[in-house]
């Protein structure tokens, strides 16, 4: 089976091509050892099977981005059988730059002119036969989204040949290249020799230290001739690309781009940010309202499973362990899944459609205050819905430090799971103006995030140049979009799932294991109480609820209710009864999803269920308004949930996950105490 | 006004220019070249962001790029027509 890798500039349609070639049966996985997602598929062509692999989009193999390093490393360490170089026909000249480099790698290669539909609309006609003549390798035109040219692509793979390197670097330099290349036994010897002469090296280059010295000597010797060898070689590639492009590209009249009108709105300095904000809010409300009926469905599902266990005669400690530990743990994980899936759809749509780049454009100034590119606004906004996908959404940023910075800011953005807690406390303790109180808390969270960003800006210093491409508006391929979102969701269930279940089980143990006649849970909460007294919280049950709240904020109210009112007992459920409960819950969820679009434009009401009102009465006996405010501030700012921690660990490693927990706890504690003291000062 | 060569950062929306040279630190110069901004290409400022940042440009009539003003200062240009 031949390995065929797809290489090209970002956004040229590599993933869409593989998805289309495989009949949308592609796999999405992370590139080994990284969080870079790539698509691959096995495709049969005639009697042969190809393994198609998507490499990260790069502008140049020597670019210093992590994506470029992955691609280059793969080509050097694990040379494929065939390179499929994908180009955007609309800007051939720029894209050819990479092509010319790839042609020095000594690997059989074909060229794909994708997006010819778009190029034509802009009056650009490229002649594939002419490029074939110029470069001597097969060239195929495709429109990946419409599936045009796919058969030709597959048959061209058979005609792939090792290219003759097209760039000539001048007589003297060629002598040097020849000499260095003759000492390299790797197929990419010419490319490697050129790279060494440009003064570039990577630890994975298959060349010895002595050869590097030889190259350095040559570079010095050539200096009088060509000046800075790096710029000189780049210059030769540029002029070769320009020469080829000038002979194969024909420009007619552009039929105009519809996008100008949309750009006038979305990229307007005033209307743009407003429109983007509205779009984001609507998109996330859409994801939220569409998924919340399914969250309820998951709740019913785990209650029925628990009931069945009781009916089946599993009881005592073990039943409690299975029901409250394992099932509710898995339920927590699964209830995240629909939210995540929809968030990923929205995010993926924004990225693939070109909307994200416009958003980066209008918000670039704002984000530059905290040393971040404009794009980083999206994960931060997303965090208002749910922090977990927001952490994964940092993947859209290229620079590791930028990603980390955003990931440390995200947990302070109040997610939807914190809202019920804030609403309950605001309604009970500030009955005259609960809404302003909740909104101010949201603002506080955003401010803490922003301050975190500014601090990190000082700490990290280096600011990567923010240059980005604004692709034309495009309709994303639905199959690709669904495939990517689905595989990202699965990845979450696998990765974060185990940590969450482990956390829930651990909390269960602390509640049911006893020391000196008291549950560990009670002892720990009691032990931490003196700290919380500093913020006017003087009841162990309030402190205790924060422990499962660390696993997920959704359960805080439940834990408070159990603490103050005693647990609600699961009751046995018959098999048939359970099935009909699941069916009803399913139908409700379907109905809820159908009604969701209508809710998007509505204003969320602060509606408090009656059960929580009696809880409110209990709470008002043990807390003053000042203490309640401090408690809300703490809940707002302390570690959002174990899933977020797991996501940070998956993306950045355990050390950063731990550091972020410590940081959030410290900030939450200090600000809660501060707010308490100030509130007491003002109100006596 | 110093009469040094004009930079991309100084162009107004709608103005067109040819890139003469790219200066500044090596990593920036490379990044710009890799993205398609190199001497000889034609650039037109088609839009600027809030407070004039970033600068949105069209390269050779086809490629839309956004560059922050402080990076655009390193791109020396000659105004066209
Ligand atoms: N009009 C048009 N759009 C296309 C074509 N091929 C892909 N697209 C769209 O272009 C966008 C980018 O496609 P991708 O397949 O994600 O590009 P990629 O090269 O894999 O991008 P990276 O993963 O960033 O390297 C998507 O919205 C596609 O739907 C095409 O031939 N014509």
């Amino acid at each position: 089976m031949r390995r065929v890798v797809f290489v090209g500039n970002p956004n040229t349609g590599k993933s869409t091509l593989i998805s289309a070639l495989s009949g949308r049966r592609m796999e999405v996985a992370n590139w080994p050892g990284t969080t870079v997602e790539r698509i691959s598929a096995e495709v049969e062509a005639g009697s042969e099977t190809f393994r198609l692999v998507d490499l990260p989009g790069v502008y140049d193999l020597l670019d210093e981005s992590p994506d470029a390093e992955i691609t280059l490393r793969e080509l050097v360490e694990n040379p494929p059988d065939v390179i499929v170089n994908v180009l955007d026909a609309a800007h051939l000249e720029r894209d050819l730059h990479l092509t010319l480099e790839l042609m020095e790698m000594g690997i059989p290669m074909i060229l794909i002119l994708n997006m010819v539909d778009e190029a034509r609309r802009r009056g650009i006609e490229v002649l594939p036969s002419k490029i074939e003549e110029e470069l001597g390798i097969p060239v195929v035109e495709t429109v990946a989204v419409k599936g045009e040219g796919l058969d030709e692509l597959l048959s061209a793979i058979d005609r792939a040949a090792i290219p003759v390197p097209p760039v000539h670097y001048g007589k003297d330099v060629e002598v040097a290249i020849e000499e260095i290349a003759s000492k390299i036994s790797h197929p990419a010897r010419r490319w490697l020799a050129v790279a060494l002469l440009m003064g570039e090296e990577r630890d994975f280059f298959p060349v010895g230290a002595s050869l590097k010295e030889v190259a350095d000597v040559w570079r010095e010797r050539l200096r009088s001739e060509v000046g800075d060898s790096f710029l000189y070689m780049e210059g030769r590639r540029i002029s070769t690309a320009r020469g080829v492009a000038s002979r194969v590209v024909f420009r007619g009249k552009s039929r105009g781009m519809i996008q100008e009108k949309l750009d006038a709105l979305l990229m307007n300095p005033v209307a743009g940010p407003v429109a983007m904000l509205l779009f984001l809010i609507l998109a996330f409300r859409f994801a939220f309202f569409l998924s919340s009926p399914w969250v309820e469905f998951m709740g019913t599902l785990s209650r029925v499973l628990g009931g069945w266990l009781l009916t089946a005669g599993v009881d005592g400690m073990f039943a409690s362990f299975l029901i409250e530990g394992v099932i509710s743990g898995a339920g927590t994980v699964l209830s995240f899944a629909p939210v995540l899936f929809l968030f990923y759809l929205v995010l993926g749509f924004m990225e693939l459609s070109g909307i994200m780049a416009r958003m980066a454009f209008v918000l670039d100034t704002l984000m530059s205050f905290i040393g971040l590119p404009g794009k980083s606004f999206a994960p931060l906004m997303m965090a208002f819905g749910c922090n977990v996908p927001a952490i994964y959404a940092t993947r859209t940023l290229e620079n590791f430090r930028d990603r980390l910075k955003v990931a440390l800011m995200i947990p302070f953005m109040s997610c939807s799971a914190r809202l019920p807690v804030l609403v309950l406390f605001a309604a009970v303790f500030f009955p005259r103006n609960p809404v302003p109180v909740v909104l101010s808390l949201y603002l506080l969270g955003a401010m803490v995030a922003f301050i975190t960003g500014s601090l990190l800006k000082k700490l990290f210093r280096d600011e990567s140049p923010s240059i980005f491409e604004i692709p034309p508006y495009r309709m994303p391929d639905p199959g690709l979009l669904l495939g990517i979102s689905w595989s990202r969701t699965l990845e979450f269930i696998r990765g974060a799932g185990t940590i969450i279940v482990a956390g829930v089980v651990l909390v269960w143990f602390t509640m049911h294991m006893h020391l000196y006649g008291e549950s560990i849970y009670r002892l720990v909460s009691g032990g931490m109480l003196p700290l919380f007294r500093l913020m006017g919280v003087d009841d162990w049950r309030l402190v205790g609820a924060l422990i499962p709240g660390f696993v997920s904020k959704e359960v805080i109210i439940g834990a408070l209710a159990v603490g103050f009112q005693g647990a609600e007992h699961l009751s046995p459920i018959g098999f048939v009864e359970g099935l009909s409960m699941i069916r009803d819950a399913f139908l409700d969820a379907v109905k809820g999803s159908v009604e969701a679009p209508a809710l998007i434009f509505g204003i969320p009401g602060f509606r408090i269920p009656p059960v929580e009102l009696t809880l409110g009465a209990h709470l008002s006996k043990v807390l003053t308004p000042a203490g309640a405010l401090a408690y809300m501030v703490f809940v707002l700012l302390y570690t959002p949930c174990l899933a977020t921690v797991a996501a940070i660990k998956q993306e950045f490693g355990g050390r950063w996950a731990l550091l972020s927990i410590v940081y959030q706890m410290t900030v939450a504690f200090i600000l809660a105490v501060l707010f308490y003291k100030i509130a007491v000062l003002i109100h006596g | 006004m110093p009469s040094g060569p004009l930079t991309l950062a100084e162009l107004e929306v709608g103005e067109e220019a040819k890139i003469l040279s790219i200066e500044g630190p090596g990593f920036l110069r490379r990044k710009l070249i890799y993205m398609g901004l190199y001497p000889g290409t034609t650039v037109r400022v088609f839009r600027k962001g809030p407070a004039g940042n970033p600068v949105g440009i069209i390269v050779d009539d086809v490629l839309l790029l956004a560059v922050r003003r402080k990076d655009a200062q390193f791109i020396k240009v000659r105004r066209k027509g």
Side-chain angles (χ1 to χ4, degrees), chain A residues 487-543:
Chain A
S487 101
R488 286 176 171 178
T489 308
L490 280 184
E491 194 189 335
F492 162 80
I493 294 176
R494 249 174 301 184
T498 40
I499 300 187
I500 296 173
V501 173
V504 173
V505 167
L506 201 72
V507 171
W508 182 88
F509 269 109
T510 62
M511 287 181 165
H512 292 85
M513 293 293 130
H514 290 72
L515 273 181
Y516 317 113
E518 285 284 7
S519 71
I520 297 178
Y521 179 72
R522 169 85 211 251
L523 290 174
V524 172
S525 322
M528 289 194 302
L529 197 54
L531 276 178
F532 283 86
R533 276 199 195 106
L534 294 176
M535 59 173 91
V537 175
D538 195 2
D539 189 293
W540 74 270
R541 291 167 293 191
L542 283 167
V543 178

Side-chain angles (χ1 to χ4, degrees), chain B residues 57-68:
Chain B
I57 50 177
I58 304 186
V59 185
D60 285 339
D61 262 345
V62 282
L63 184 65
L64 271 66
L65 297 178
V67 187
R68 277 189 182 164

Side-chain angles (χ1 to χ4, degrees), chain A residues 59-60 62-64 90-91 93-94 97 122 124 200 230-231 234 238 242 251 259 263-264 267 269 361-362 364-365 368 372-374 463 465-470, chain B residues 27-41 46-57 59-68 70-71:
Chain A
Y59 291 109
D60 190 290
L62 289 172
D63 197 356
E64 273 153 352
H91 36 80
E93 181 178 322
R94 205 268 313 263
H97 195 78
R122 299 198 199 173
I124 297 170
E200 290 290 315
F230 188 94
L231 289 180
E234 285 293 350
I238 289 171
R242 181 170 295 157
R251 288 195 185 213
Q259 61 182 72
D263 272 349
M267 295 175 78
F361 187 87
V362 289
D364 198 64
T365 305
S368 71
L372 284 172
E463 201 175 312
S466 177
I467 303 156
F468 55 95
E469 198 171 327
I470 306 171
Chain B
F27 70 92
L28 175 68
R29 209 158 48 190
R30 279 196 208 181
K31 187 95 200 161
L32 292 169
I33 292 177
Y34 293 158
M35 303 282 293
L37 285 173
Y38 37 79
T41 50
F46 78 101
R47 173 164 269 121
K48 289 186 179 184
N53 219 352
V55 186
I57 50 177
V59 185
D60 285 339
D61 262 345
V62 282
L63 184 65
L64 271 66
L65 297 178
V67 187
R68 277 189 182 164
K70 71 174 173 31
D71 297 330

Side-chain angles (χ1 to χ4, degrees), chain A residues 8-17 37-38 54-58 86 114-118 121 142-146 351-354 473-477 480 484:
Chain A
N9 287 5
N11 257 307
T12 46
K14 298 177 291 299
S15 322
T16 311
L17 275 172
E37 274 168 5
R38 289 289 99 187
D54 187 16
L55 289 180
V58 294
V86 184
N114 192 34
M115 314 246 183
V116 283
D117 55 332
E118 245 175 49
R121 224 177 303 133
T142 58
V143 180
V145 275
K146 296 200 195 107
E351 256 188 274
L352 292 178
S353 63
Y473 292 102
R474 288 172 180 146
M475 202 44 177
D477 177 59
L480 182 68
I484 292 178

Side-chain angles (χ1 to χ4, degrees), chain A residues 328-345:
Chain A
S328 83
T332 313
V333 179
L334 287 181
S335 65
F336 268 112
V339 192
L340 271 175
F341 181 69
L342 281 161
F343 271 116
Y344 283 142
L345 275 184

